């Protein structure tokens, strides 16, 4: 599992924008920026939709006021699902990034097998990334939702 002080692995994520499908490298997404990244096991799932994403939406202004350049949400879903999920929650201040094949999640060592639920998914976590280096990492234990909450991350900025 990636640790605080380590550089993010080279990988690509997808984003569906008004210009169409974009394939983005982690270098392009994280170089020369301070980013809060949070990951969820699945778009449109209960805790993710009812608490995790909405809290980051609500606190986006306070997070960016702490010198954060961008907030990214990533899930092992496709870019079409991530775009629809973001639109359903009015997440205009959060980039909704897809890790459709779980390659980024697996490279981080933050993958989990949910078997009948959906196969390989991401653990629930949040991280602070400065110029591609992880400066804060907050990984939830299974079935918990404490350390990756927007409020908890805001306290660490």
């Amino acid at each position: 599992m990636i640790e605080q002080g380590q550089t993010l692995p080279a990988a690509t994520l997808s984003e569906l924008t008004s210009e169409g499908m974009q394939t983005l490298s982690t270098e392009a997404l994280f170089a020369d920026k301070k980013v809060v990244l949070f990951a969820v096991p699945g778009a449109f799932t209960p805790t993710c939709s009812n608490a995790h994403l909405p809290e980051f939406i609500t606190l986006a202004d306070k997070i960016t006021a702490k010198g954060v350049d961008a907030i990214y949400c990533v899930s092992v879903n496709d870019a079409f699902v991530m775009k629809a999920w973001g639109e359903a929650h009015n997440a205009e201040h959060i980039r909704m990034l897809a890790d459709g094949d779980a390659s980024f999640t697996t490279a981080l060592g933050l993958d989990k097998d949910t078997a009948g639920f959906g196969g390989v998914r991401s653990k629930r976590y949040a991280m602070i990334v400065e110029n591609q280096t992880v400066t804060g990492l907050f990984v939830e234990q299974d079935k918990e939702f404490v350390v990756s909450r927007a409020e908890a991350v805001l306290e660490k900025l």
Side-chain angles (χ1 to χ4, degrees):
M1 179 171 68
I2 194 160
E3 296 178 7
Q4 191 168 313
Q6 292 183 321
T7 302
L8 289 178
T12 57
L13 296 165
S14 300
E15 181 180 29
L16 186 59
T17 69
S18 57
E19 291 83 44
M21 186 67 67
Q22 308 294 316
T23 301
L24 308 157
S25 70
T26 49
E27 182 178 4
L29 286 164
F30 294 95
D32 302 318
K33 294 181 192 103
K34 183 174 185 178
V35 175
V36 169
L37 168 71
F38 68 101
V40 298
F44 293 106
T45 56
T47 302
C48 306
S49 289
N50 297 332
H52 211 174
L53 178 59
E55 288 178 5
F56 274 97
I57 293 167
T58 300
L59 293 176
D61 289 342
K62 290 182 179 180
I63 291 169
T64 55
K66 295 273 192 170
V68 171
D69 298 301
I71 303 169
Y72 301 156
C73 176
V74 69
S75 183
V76 180
N77 288 110
D78 64 56
F80 298 97
V81 169
M82 292 302 288
K83 180 175 175 44
W85 190 41
E87 288 174 350
H89 287 274
N90 299 310
E92 61 268 357
H93 300 298
I94 297 173
R95 289 186 75 177
M96 305 298 287
L97 302 171
D99 184 21
D101 64 357
S103 58
F104 176 66
T105 300
T106 303
L108 290 172
L110 291 169
D111 56 305
K112 66 178 185 173
D113 187 357
T114 60
F117 169 72
V120 176
R121 296 290 181 139
S122 177
K123 292 182 180 181
R124 185 182 306 282
Y125 68 87
M127 65 173 68
I128 302 165
V129 182
E130 296 184 52
N131 192 25
Q132 301 183 73
T133 299
V134 178
T135 58
L137 179 61
F138 318 104
V139 181
E140 297 288 359
Q141 297 298 314
D142 279 344
K143 301 189 189 269
E144 289 193 4
F145 180 50
V146 179
V147 299
S148 68
R149 298 180 82 111
E151 297 90 352
V153 175
L154 182 60
E155 290 176 7
K156 304 291 185 185
L157 292 169

